[in-house]
Amino acid sequence: MTNNSKTTNNDIYATVTALMIAKLEQGVCPWKSPYLGSVGCPRNFATSKVYRGVNGWLLGMLGFSSPYFLTFVQTKALGGHVRKGEKGSLVVKWGTFETEDKDSGEDKTKGFLKSYTVFNASQIEGIEFPAAEVRIPQTDCCGDAKMIVAAMPNRPIIRYGTAMAFYRPADDSISMPNMDDMTSPESFYSTLFHEVTHSVGALHRLNRKSLVENKGMHASRQTYAEEELVAEMGSAFLCAHSGIFDDQSENSAAYLAGWLKALQNPDAKTWIVRAAGQAQKAADYVLNIPRA
C-alpha cells in the first residue's frame, strides 16, 4: 500500500468531514447506509479484512455493487488493472509512533493519520471477484438485537417503562421506554444500542474521554456533541451486526440538519474519524470481540 506523505493529518480530517457533510446535504446519513444490508460490509479483497471505523462508512456510502476493494498496488500484484478513467475512493489509517519531546527529552507517543486510495471490484479488470452475496432480510433481526444486549459483558442496569431513553453514569443504568411506546421494534433497539454505546464509555469499561468528561450539553457542548456522535455510530455498528438496516427514524430532516450543523463547526473537523474509531471499540466491547 502507498500513501500520500505530503498530506497532513488536518488535510485528511477535513477531507473525511467534507465527504460526510456532502452526504448529509444530500439527505443521506452516512452511518445509516442501507448498503451494508444489501451488499455487505466493505472489505479488502487481498487481505479479506473488513474495513472498520470510519472506513466502513466512507466506502459503504458510495453504493458500489460489490463489497470488495483493492489499492492500485494490490490490483497490479494480483494481475489486474484499474479501468482507465476510474476514480479511487478514500480510506484512512490511524497509527502511532514514538518521538522525543523537545523540552523534556523524554519519549512520547504521537498519532498520525495516513490516507489511501482504493478501487472497487467494479472498477477493476483482469481479476475475478466473487459475486456479491445477496443478503436476505432477517426475519428476526430484533431477536438478534435482544441477544446482543443480553450477552453484553459487564452489562449496566437496564430499566424499562420510562418516558425517555438515557444513560446515567452515577448508578451505571440505562432507562428506556417500553417497546410498545416506540415507533417500531427496530427504532427501540436502535435507541437501546445508542444508550448501550454511551454506557461502554464508563470509567470501569473503556474510560472514554467524551463520556467521562461529559458535563451535559450546556456545560460542555463540544464534548457532548462528540459523545452523541460516538453513540449514534456505535448504534449503527450494532444495528448492522444484528441485521437492522431499515430504521428510517434517524433519517428525518431534523436529525440530518442537526448533524449537518454540528459537523460544519470548525472545531468538529476531527470528530468523524475519532468518533468512528471510538464507536467501533464500543461495538467490539458489546459483542465481546477481543481488541486487536
Side-chain angles (χ1 to χ4, degrees), residues 9-47:
N9 283 5
N10 285 341
D11 290 336
I12 298 171
Y13 281 126
T15 299
V16 171
T17 302
L19 290 170
M20 294 291 187
I21 286 175
K23 282 295 178 182
L24 288 167
E25 288 176 334
Q26 294 168 18
V28 176
C29 182
W31 50 91
K32 294 284 184 178
S33 173
Y35 175 92
L36 301 180
S38 59
V39 179
C41 296
R43 64 187 64 227
N44 186 281
F45 181 67
T47 65

Side-chain angles (χ1 to χ4, degrees), residues 69-274:
F69 290 84
L70 288 169
T71 66
F72 185 87
V73 172
Q74 288 174 328
T75 301
K76 187 175 180 180
L78 290 173
H81 64 274
V82 176
R83 191 180 298 111
K84 186 176 180 180
E86 294 287 356
K87 184 178 180 181
S89 304
L90 173 73
V91 292
V92 299
K93 181 179 180 180
W94 174 259
T96 60
F97 65 96
E98 299 296 320
T99 186
E100 183 180 292
D101 186 277
K102 293 182 180 179
D103 297 323
S104 66
E106 297 180 354
D107 289 338
K108 65 177 182 179
T109 301
K110 295 190 68 176
F112 67 88
L113 201 63
K114 288 185 178 180
S115 63
Y116 298 88
T117 299
V118 294
F119 298 87
N120 185 259
S122 62
Q123 300 174 295
I124 295 171
E125 296 177 336
I127 298 175
E128 186 174 346
F129 293 92
E133 179 183 353
V134 178
R135 305 191 68 187
I136 300 172
Q138 291 181 239
T139 58
D140 192 24
C141 57
C142 290
D144 287 353
K146 183 178 181 179
M147 287 191 290
I148 286 172
V149 176
M152 174 185 172
N154 194 18
R155 190 173 66 251
I157 299 166
I158 304 178
R159 302 185 179 98
Y160 299 97
T162 58
M164 298 178 64
F166 58 90
Y167 169 66
R168 185 164 63 184
D171 63 353
D172 193 31
S173 69
I174 291 172
S175 295
M176 281 288 299
N178 290 320
M179 188 181 294
D180 290 344
D181 295 326
M182 304 290 286
T183 57
S184 67
E186 290 81 8
S187 178
F188 174 85
Y189 281 107
S190 176
T191 301
L192 179 55
F193 283 151
H194 178 109
E195 303 307 332
V196 163
T197 302
H198 279 315
S199 75
V200 175
L203 189 66
H204 60 290
R205 295 190 184 93
L206 294 186
N207 190 21
R208 188 170 59 240
K209 182 178 179 181
S210 60
L211 187 283
V212 298
E213 296 184 5
N214 190 348
K215 305 300 181 183
M217 180 170 61
H218 300 294
S220 52
R221 185 177 297 272
Q222 181 171 326
T223 303
Y224 175 87
E226 184 171 343
E227 173 61 22
E228 286 302 305
L229 185 56
V230 172
E232 281 298 288
M233 289 184 166
S235 173
F237 280 131
L238 292 170
C239 281
H241 189 85
S242 60
I244 297 173
F245 301 104
D246 60 351
D247 175 24
Q248 297 301 313
S249 63
E250 303 299 352
N251 284 324
S252 68
Y255 176 89
L256 295 172
W259 279 117
L260 182 58
K261 181 179 179 181
L263 294 175
Q264 286 174 330
N265 184 327
D267 295 329
K269 63 184 178 182
T270 63
W271 289 5
I272 290 286
V273 175
R274 191 163 61 222

